[in-house]
Amino acid sequence: MARRDTREFSRIWTVWLVLLRLTMIAVLMVIALNPHIRTQRESFRPSQVAILVDTSTSMKQPAVDIRPGTVTPDRTTVVQEFFAKTSLVQELQRRHAIDVFTFDSDLNGPLYRFPWDGAAPGEAAGKTDQPQPPQWKTWLQPARSATALGDAIDKVLAETKGKTLSGVIVVSDGASNVGRSPDVAIARAKQNGVKLISLGVG
C-alpha cells in the first residue's frame, strides 16, 4: 500500500514517506514493550511482639483474696515486679522486637521498644530518647477507671497491620467494661495470623 500510495511521487518523497511510516511503527513497538529501569532494594524487619498492659484503676485492687489483717500487693505491683524480675522480655528479644503499650479507656503507646537482639547498634526503633533501664513502675501506673480491653487489642492489631506482628501479650484482670467485645479483636487476630496470649492477674 505504501508503494501504491507513492507511485506518482518522486523517489525522494517516496523514501521520506516510507521512513516516516517505519518510524511510527518503531515508536508503537517501543510503547508496547514499555521499557523502563527498575530499582530493587532488599530490607529485613524482625518479627514483632506487642505487650499490652492494663492500667485501669481496677488494677489497684489486691492481687489475691485477702483475709482481715493481712497485707497483699495490688495487681499493678505484681505486674511491675513480674516484668522487672523475670526474663520474659529477654527471652522474647532473641527472636522479636518488643513494643510496650498500656490501655485503660484508650490505647497508649508504644511507650518503649525493646530491640531485637540481632539489630545493629542504633536500630532500636526510631526512639533515641528511650529511658534506660526500662521504667516499668512509671509506665504501669493506673490512670482511668474505664477498661476498653477489646478496643485496645483491636487498635494494636489495626495499627500494626501489614507489619511483622507475630503476637500480642495481654496482661489484665479481664474486667472490660467499655467498648466492643474482645471477640472482634480475636477475629481480626485470626485473620492476620497473630497469636493472642493472655496473662491474667487478680
Side-chain angles (χ1 to χ4, degrees), residues 20 45 115 120 135 154 175-176 183 188:
L20 286 178
R45 291 186 298 179
Q135 306 295 310
D154 193 57
S176 181
D183 292 341
R188 185 193 289 269

Side-chain angles (χ1 to χ4, degrees), residues 31-53:
I31 293 173
L33 294 174
N34 190 27
H36 59 278
I37 297 175
R38 175 179 296 175
T39 58
Q40 183 172 333
R41 183 179 62 183
E42 293 185 0
S43 62
F44 173 81
R45 291 186 298 179
S47 172
Q48 294 174 272
V49 167
I51 295 178
L52 185 58
V53 184

Side-chain angles (χ1 to χ4, degrees), residues 4-15:
R4 290 177 181 176
D5 288 342
T6 58
R7 183 177 297 171
E8 297 179 359
F9 295 163
S10 66
R11 188 173 187 81
I12 294 176
W13 281 107
T14 299
V15 172

Side-chain angles (χ1 to χ4, degrees), residues 21-97:
R21 286 168 172 162
L22 292 175
T23 301
M24 182 56 65
I25 292 173
V27 170
L28 291 174
M29 290 181 64
V30 169
I31 293 173
L33 294 174
N34 190 27
H36 59 278
I37 297 175
R38 175 179 296 175
T39 58
Q40 183 172 333
R41 183 179 62 183
E42 293 185 0
S43 62
F44 173 81
R45 291 186 298 179
S47 172
Q48 294 174 272
V49 167
I51 295 178
L52 185 58
V53 184
D54 188 346
T55 54
S56 62
T57 52
S58 65
M59 296 293 285
K60 292 182 178 180
Q61 298 296 322
V64 297
D65 293 335
I66 59 173
R67 298 176 180 176
T70 61
V71 177
T72 183
D74 59 34
R75 299 168 187 178
T76 295
T77 301
V78 170
V79 174
Q80 292 171 350
E81 291 180 352
F82 171 78
F83 283 112
K85 296 180 179 180
T86 67
S87 60
L88 174 65
V89 171
Q90 289 76 14
E91 291 293 330
L92 290 172
Q93 278 184 279
R94 294 181 181 181
R95 299 182 60 184
H96 313 278

Side-chain angles (χ1 to χ4, degrees), residues 63-200:
V64 297
D65 293 335
I66 59 173
R67 298 176 180 176
T70 61
V71 177
T72 183
D74 59 34
R75 299 168 187 178
T76 295
T77 301
V78 170
V79 174
Q80 292 171 350
E81 291 180 352
F82 171 78
F83 283 112
K85 296 180 179 180
T86 67
S87 60
L88 174 65
V89 171
Q90 289 76 14
E91 291 293 330
L92 290 172
Q93 278 184 279
R94 294 181 181 181
R95 299 182 60 184
H96 313 278
I98 306 164
D99 292 317
V100 178
F101 298 82
T102 62
F103 73 96
D104 36 53
S105 60
D106 196 10
L107 179 69
N108 305 301
L111 306 176
Y112 191 88
R113 165 162 282 198
F114 293 91
W116 169 55
D117 280 348
E123 282 186 19
K127 288 191 176 182
T128 58
D129 56 346
Q130 297 188 98
Q132 296 292 342
Q135 306 295 310
W136 293 109
K137 289 188 177 181
T138 301
W139 301 336
L140 307 185
Q141 287 299 319
R144 301 181 181 92
S145 58
T147 307
L149 177 60
D151 286 348
I153 299 173
D154 193 57
K155 196 170 183 179
V156 167
L157 295 171
E159 289 183 354
T160 54
K161 184 177 181 180
K163 298 183 180 180
T164 53
L165 183 64
S166 175
V168 179
I169 299 174
V170 184
V171 184
S172 174
D173 57 13
S176 181
N177 52 26
V178 296
R180 290 171 293 178
S181 167
D183 292 341
V184 177
I186 292 171
R188 185 193 289 269
K190 289 181 178 179
Q191 182 180 0
N192 296 350
V194 177
K195 295 180 181 179
L196 295 180
I197 301 96
S198 61
L199 297 180

